[in-house]
Amino acid sequence: MTHSAPPPITWHPTNPANTQMFRFAHWLTDTHAVDVGELLNDDGNIAPGLYRRLHAWSITELPAFWDAVREYFGVLGDGFDTDALTDATMPGAVWYPNAQVNFAENVLERTREHVRHDATALVNIDENNVIDTVTWQQLRTRVHGLAEQLRDLGVQPGDRIAAVLPNNAEAIIGLLASATIGAVWTINSPDLTVTATLARLRQLAPTVLITSGGYTFAGKFFDLTEYNAQLRAGLPSLNHHLGIEDYRQAPTNGPVDYLRVAFDHPLWILFSSGTTGDPKGIVHGHGGMLLESLKGQGLHQDMTPTDRYYVAANTSWMVWNTLVQALALGTSVVVYGGSPKINGPARQFEVIAATDTTRFAVGAPYLSLVERSGISPAEHWDLTGLKSILSTAAPLPESTWRWVHEHVNPAVRLGSDSGGTDICSGFIGTNPLEPIRLGELQGPMLGVAAKSFDDDGQEVFDEVGELVMTEPMPSMPLYLWNDPDGERYRDTYFDRFPATDTYPHGVWAQGDWVIQTSRGSFIVEGRSDATLNRQGVRLGTAEIYAALSHIPEVEQSTVIGVEQPGGSYWMPLFVQLAEGAELTDELQDRIAEMIRTQASVRHVPDEIIAVADIPVTHSGKRIEVPLKKLFVRGTADAVNQDAIANPGSLAEFVELAQRRAMAS
């Protein structure tokens, strides 16, 4: 499918010369004589194409770009006396081999010159809208106290500290304290089962476990006493167990001893969803995460100390980590561990209004949920102070895109970013210098050599291809846990497209299908391994989901394509219907016609099947690939149930798969 005519513009930069990205470009030309062309027109407006020229420089002069980010933001550390990138070979690129840096020091100390010590750093809000705040000085004091407590317990650099906590202030304090002493942090949300949590944590052999005695969700208190006991029993490596109520306070004026570690010293370990096997432990480093935070949150999201950032996420999802990344810019952040629907589907907008949030990140399915509810948030709350909404986790349907501007804030900078747990950042997404067009991601992020490849490894435009990166990023994983020879790492990202003379540093394949338009923008079509293939034509699932957003009776859906014996192909659409709706012949016809007109005749499913619930991961993502494997194998072990937020939904799919296998 081609996209030749540009979609309508949904957002224009109103004062782009007052953004961090423009100031960075101006600083480059003044301080380092970098030629990115004209910055401003004679009329004082941003010169056309400035972002594209800046991006081109950032990937052709990769070491200079990343060192400029370090210098511009005043990164604290030692040993930055080499090129930023001394070996660009992927995997294993070498960044600042002599550097010593500490992520927590840069979050808490570098910001002293930008924010007052009594300014708010954290805003904690509960389901009753009770708000507690933590100032920057209080945050430093509490982080210092826990760091010293961990040192006194014998925690050494490189030891793993595992936390099972909801999205609260203590989780952020724990992460920063762990980083302060060079320990390695990992966190899971307590709504994961004990089995799912142990499948992650046992791999790491943590020495310290941090937990909460319980949490409140949807008005109900969940006591974690027995849960925590089972965790302790299942982690024989533990030396200590701390409850968040045991956190030690430091003397108010005590010195903070930040351990500066190698640029590639492990900072935290994130986990893949683990829907088809053991979750992968993805290890990120102090220096890479710091530079990526400053670039992504500072330059692209334009966060400053005047902003307040809120992300709707539990602690098992990588976007929770962006709260700490925002703190690195001096931005205050909102933490909320409650239900996203406690006072109705639009609860997150109530939180935004109550906390004076200016920048909001959320999964696209949530915005579509509020759209379908018929609620107009702008009629209930003052959302005029909301500057930007970053949509992620899935493609954002065009109807929802329009709905945000009509029912939330017409001037809000709504954009969609695509990245991953793999890099804890974005590959393609938004920038503050260019207009945003309906349904499109503006383009690659600075320092990201993103392209779209066909099956032969050739760059393609205006057709579906594989999202790849042809140059390294500092936030690419240091390694995967328990992968000593790097085989799993290479197999996951680099075996799809070998290095060539054109791309000598290797090619990272993200596993997403995208359309790279000839105008430089991108459209995400879904996971490449979930891509539908009808009559030799590759189809993205995103276009089907976008069409279904116009059908109010469809609450949630998922579509798969299954190769059949003899070369045939079966493409069913599973729909979870809204309360009171029935899958009548008339509704099926309407669904098929909507898909036909909004996508194409090839996108129309072979069968529409109503189910009680659509299974999703703990971060709200559909599990298209595991469901496909379920229907190929006909056995429940095709899906790791611990990775599913609503595992009870799988029983119906297992029954359907087995019934189909018996009938064939």
Side-chain angles (χ1 to χ4, degrees):
M1 181 176 180
T2 60
H3 293 251
S4 53
I9 291 173
T10 57
W11 178 84
H12 278 284
T14 53
N15 192 5
N18 194 34
T19 62
Q20 285 270 43
M21 187 174 285
F22 179 82
R23 288 193 287 269
F24 175 69
H26 193 275
W27 173 84
L28 283 173
T29 61
D30 276 4
T31 307
H32 292 284
V34 173
D35 183 8
V36 291
E38 188 179 20
L39 301 182
L40 295 173
N41 287 335
D42 293 339
D43 59 8
N45 292 321
I46 292 286
L50 173 59
Y51 178 77
R52 301 296 158 164
R53 296 191 298 274
L54 184 61
H55 177 265
W57 174 79
S58 77
I59 60 173
T60 54
E61 302 293 337
L62 208 58
F65 165 71
W66 284 109
D67 198 53
V69 171
R70 177 196 64 80
E71 183 183 350
Y72 179 77
F73 285 104
V75 167
L76 301 176
D78 304 302
F80 296 110
D81 53 357
T82 66
D83 287 343
L85 180 63
T86 60
D87 184 348
T89 305
M90 299 185 289
V94 178
W95 301 86
Y96 289 114
N98 300 334
Q100 298 285 306
V101 69
N102 185 283
F103 182 87
E105 180 184 17
N106 276 276
V107 170
L108 297 173
E109 303 303 321
R110 196 190 61 81
T111 49
R112 284 184 183 271
E113 62 183 272
H114 305 293
V115 292
R116 301 190 324 270
H117 72 278
D118 59 348
T120 297
L122 309 180
V123 179
N124 191 93
I125 183 170
D126 67 13
E127 291 188 337
N128 296 316
N129 287 340
V130 175
I131 292 177
D132 295 312
T133 60
V134 177
T135 67
W136 278 93
Q137 188 55 42
Q138 289 170 335
L139 178 60
R140 295 182 186 107
T141 298
R142 294 177 67 179
V143 169
H144 180 206
L146 179 57
E148 289 304 312
Q149 185 176 5
L150 293 169
R151 278 197 180 106
D152 290 346
L153 292 175
V155 178
Q156 299 296 310
D159 285 353
R160 275 75 64 204
I161 295 176
V164 181
L165 296 172
N167 183 1
N168 57 22
E170 287 77 15
I172 290 177
I173 291 164
L175 187 159
L176 291 172
S178 173
T180 296
I181 64 173
V184 186
W185 173 263
T186 193
I187 189 168
N188 283 276
S189 175
D191 60 355
L192 268 69
T193 65
V194 170
T195 303
T197 300
L198 289 176
R200 290 158 170 77
L201 300 188
R202 261 201 213 104
Q203 300 179 46
L204 310 183
T207 59
V208 176
L209 175 67
I210 298 176
T211 64
S212 167
Y215 65 99
T216 299
F217 190 87
K220 179 182 177 182
F221 180 75
F222 292 84
D223 188 308
L224 295 176
T225 304
E226 178 59 27
Y227 182 96
N228 294 336
Q230 292 180 49
L231 290 181
R232 291 196 304 271
L235 295 170
S237 60
L238 288 180
N239 295 328
H240 302 283
H241 174 217
L242 285 178
I244 55 175
E245 64 278 359
D246 300 324
Y247 279 14
R248 183 193 298 169
Q249 295 278 350
T252 304
N253 296 315
V256 181
D257 182 13
Y258 298 99
L259 179 67
R260 290 186 176 177
V261 293
F263 191 87
D264 62 354
H265 185 84
L267 170 65
W268 60 49
I269 300 172
L270 304 179
F271 284 95
S272 63
S273 60
T275 50
T276 56
D278 286 340
K280 294 192 296 286
I282 301 169
V283 186
H284 294 128
H286 276 246
M289 268 294 94
L290 177 60
L291 290 186
E292 195 64 48
S293 302
L294 298 173
K295 181 210 73 174
Q297 309 292 74
L299 299 182
H300 279 271
Q301 301 307 322
D302 200 31
M303 292 189 191
T304 72
T306 64
D307 284 308
R308 180 159 293 163
Y309 174 57
Y310 170 50
V311 58
N314 67 33
T315 52
S316 291
W317 189 15
M318 54 101 5
V319 293
W320 176 81
N321 294 66
T322 65
L323 291 169
V324 182
Q325 292 177 312
L327 286 171
L329 278 305
T331 299
S332 62
V333 301
V334 176
V335 290
Y336 172 63
S339 167
K341 304 176 187 177
I342 184 66
N343 296 331
R347 167 62 177 165
Q348 304 291 16
F349 292 101
E350 183 181 18
V351 170
I352 289 168
T355 58
D356 297 322
T357 290
T358 62
R359 306 208 179 265
F360 177 47
V362 65
Y366 175 77
L367 296 175
S368 294
L369 170 71
V370 186
E371 176 195 15
R372 289 193 301 270
S373 75
I375 296 173
S376 179
E379 294 180 3
H380 297 271
W381 303 285
D382 182 3
L383 300 172
T384 55
L386 186 61
K387 299 177 186 175
S388 65
I389 297 177
L390 176 64
S391 172
T392 188
L396 186 64
E398 291 186 0
S399 66
T400 308
W401 206 301
R402 293 188 180 95
W403 172 86
V404 168
H405 287 291
E406 293 170 359
H407 295 279
V408 176
N409 181 345
V412 74
R413 175 186 160 194
L414 170 65
S416 182
D417 277 19
S418 181
T421 303
D422 325 78
I423 58 159
C424 199
S425 185
F427 295 113
I428 50 179
T430 53
N431 72 75
L433 302 184
E434 296 182 312
I436 295 174
R437 292 185 179 274
L438 180 67
E440 291 189 350
L441 286 69
Q442 286 166 291
M445 305 292 204
L446 294 179
V448 182
K451 302 179 186 297
S452 175
F453 275 10
D454 64 15
D455 289 340
D456 297 323
Q458 300 298 312
E459 187 172 13
V460 292
F461 294 87
D462 299 318
E463 63 182 79
V464 175
E466 180 98 21
L467 176 64
V468 301
M469 267 53 62
T470 59
E471 296 290 346
M473 297 170 60
S475 64
M476 284 178 175
L478 303 177
Y479 47 86
L480 302 183
W481 195 259
N482 288 339
D483 182 32
D485 59 1
E487 181 179 356
R488 194 179 187 192
Y489 190 3
R490 289 189 297 273
D491 180 63
T492 301
Y493 304 109
F494 296 101
D495 280 0
R496 178 78 170 86
F497 299 104
T500 63
D501 290 342
T502 306
Y503 304 109
H505 298 146
V507 177
W508 168 298
Q510 177 59 15
D512 287 337
W513 284 126
V514 297
I515 295 172
Q516 178 182 208
T517 75
S518 49
R519 292 176 283 104
S521 57
F522 280 76
I523 300 163
V524 176
E525 293 289 307
R527 293 294 294 173
S528 60
D529 45 13
T531 297
L532 310 170
N533 191 327
R534 262 192 167 170
Q535 301 165 352
V537 178
R538 294 183 305 210
L539 307 173
T541 57
E543 292 170 311
I544 294 174
Y545 301 139
L548 290 172
S549 67
H550 299 282
I551 306 290
E553 292 93 339
V554 176
E555 188 76 21
Q556 178 63 288
S557 62
T558 194
V559 63
I560 62 174
V562 182
E563 291 79 11
Q564 302 288 289
S568 62
Y569 193 75
W570 179 56
M571 196 176 100
L573 170 66
F574 302 98
V575 293
Q576 174 188 334
L577 299 177
E579 186 176 354
E582 294 183 10
L583 190 60
T584 62
D585 290 345
E586 183 275 332
L587 178 56
Q588 292 197 57
D589 290 344
R590 193 148 42 91
I591 289 172
E593 181 60 23
M594 185 63 71
I595 293 172
R596 184 181 295 107
T597 56
Q598 294 292 315
S600 78
V601 66
R602 284 195 177 94
H603 289 78
V604 177
D606 295 314
E607 192 173 352
I608 303 174
I609 303 170
V611 294
D613 199 8
I614 298 292
V616 294
T617 68
H618 291 281
S619 58
K621 296 182 180 179
R622 298 174 175 92
I623 60 163
E624 296 157 326
V625 176
L627 285 183
K628 176 178 178 176
K629 291 181 178 178
L630 170 62
F631 278 88
V632 170
R633 297 182 191 172
T635 57
D637 61 3
V639 184
N640 178 4
Q641 297 197 26
D642 289 327
I644 307 303
N646 49 343
S649 62
L650 290 172
E652 187 173 7
F653 285 85
V654 172
E655 182 182 347
L656 287 168
Q658 292 176 343
R659 192 187 312 153
R660 181 173 177 83
M662 291 174 62
S664 62

